[in-house]
Amino acid sequence: MSRRVKEMLKENNELQEQLSDDGKKVLTDIVVYLRGAPVSMYEQERVRRDITQMLIDGEKRGSSAREVIGEDYKVFCDSVLEEIPRLTAGQKVMMTIRDMCGAMAVLSLLWGGLYLALSAGYGDLNSVEPSYTTVTSGRLLQLVIIAAAGTWFARIYYPNPYKSRAKLWLQYTVPAIIVVFISSRVAVILKKPLFTIHAVLLVPIAVILLIIYKIIDSRVA
């Protein structure tokens, strides 16, 4: 996240404190919806600032948030976003790479932590198993599939965070089960060894992935 986005985010957080509880609730719905819009974080915060100020001015006149923006906040947001420049194809690709780096960093830490915990149970950090693990083509592809799926789930969740439980089950749980099943089968079928790595090395790998995440995030935001 770039410095200008951080500054605007801080300003917007302070600005929204001037709203009533009802105004804050409506603004929260709007912000969640904006997070799924195909525009940069900076543009999202600009829109958020303008809408927050509109709501504040409306409350000073005695108008509720719904009287200011209408009953359907999504329609209002869409009308505002029509005037905002969309992310380019290059920016979308960079954001996808950024999100996958973040997801893979977390998975690497979890993977390394699991092996180190098991090694501690054996009482020898350098035991051949389980502190050393052989990374196969299937395991590596499994990691990429899960990271990509997590990114995709996040992208489709933001625009519709308040669906019914039945719709949430169909849209998220069922696909998640399918992704886990397919990625697990890939890991089992593709057994070609690529390299052997000590679990401790997964920590610096995760750090490198996080650094890449931060660099890309500061440039595309």
Side-chain angles (χ1 to χ4, degrees):
M1 187 182 298
S2 64
R3 179 177 296 179
R4 66 174 184 172
V5 174
K6 288 181 179 179
E7 291 176 351
M8 186 171 290
L9 187 62
K10 180 181 178 181
E11 291 173 1
N12 286 341
N13 289 338
E14 294 174 351
L15 186 63
Q16 75 176 31
E17 292 303 315
Q18 299 181 35
L19 289 170
S20 64
D21 290 341
D22 182 64
K24 289 178 181 177
K25 182 179 181 302
V26 173
L27 183 63
T28 298
D29 292 343
I30 290 173
V31 171
V32 171
Y33 188 73
L34 289 176
R35 292 293 180 251
V39 298
S40 68
M41 186 73 170
Y42 178 71
E43 294 295 346
Q44 290 177 19
E45 287 302 312
R46 285 185 58 193
V47 172
R48 177 189 174 192
R49 179 192 60 193
D50 294 342
I51 293 177
T52 303
Q53 192 59 57
M54 286 177 58
L55 296 177
I56 291 173
D57 294 341
E59 288 187 351
K60 288 180 179 178
R61 297 192 304 269
S63 301
S64 67
R66 288 173 177 77
E67 289 174 333
V68 174
I69 65 173
E71 290 297 326
D72 193 338
Y73 68 88
K74 293 182 181 179
V75 173
F76 175 79
C77 289
D78 288 340
S79 65
V80 174
L81 290 170
E82 286 180 359
E83 308 298 325
I84 306 299
R86 292 295 192 265
L87 291 170
T88 64
Q91 288 175 314
K92 290 181 180 179
V93 170
M94 293 302 293
M95 288 179 68
T96 299
I97 294 174
R98 175 202 65 183
D99 294 342
M100 288 187 64
C101 284
M104 290 179 71
V106 173
L107 290 173
S108 295
L109 286 173
L110 291 175
W111 191 1
L114 172 63
Y115 276 90
L116 288 174
L118 291 173
S119 296
Y122 281 95
D124 182 5
L125 187 63
N126 294 311
S127 59
V128 176
E129 289 291 344
S131 61
Y132 282 94
T133 181
T134 298
V135 178
T136 63
S137 56
R139 280 188 175 183
L140 188 61
L141 188 55
Q142 180 187 31
L143 185 65
V144 173
I145 290 174
I146 293 175
T151 300
W152 179 72
F153 286 148
R155 294 281 177 84
I156 63 175
Y157 171 81
Y158 274 127
N160 302 285
Y162 304 116
K163 287 188 174 182
S164 66
R165 290 185 178 181
K167 289 183 177 179
L168 284 174
W169 172 265
L170 291 174
Q171 190 169 3
Y172 301 107
T173 308
V174 174
I177 293 173
I178 294 174
V179 167
V180 171
F181 174 77
I182 292 176
S183 63
S184 298
R185 294 307 301 167
V186 167
V188 171
I189 295 171
L190 302 178
K191 297 182 178 181
K192 181 180 179 180
L194 299 177
F195 53 87
T196 299
I197 186 172
H198 195 286
V200 171
L201 295 179
L202 290 173
V203 176
I205 289 174
V207 171
I208 292 172
L209 288 170
L210 286 174
I211 291 174
I212 294 174
Y213 172 92
K214 294 294 291 184
I215 292 173
I216 297 176
D217 187 53
S218 65
R219 295 189 177 185
V220 298

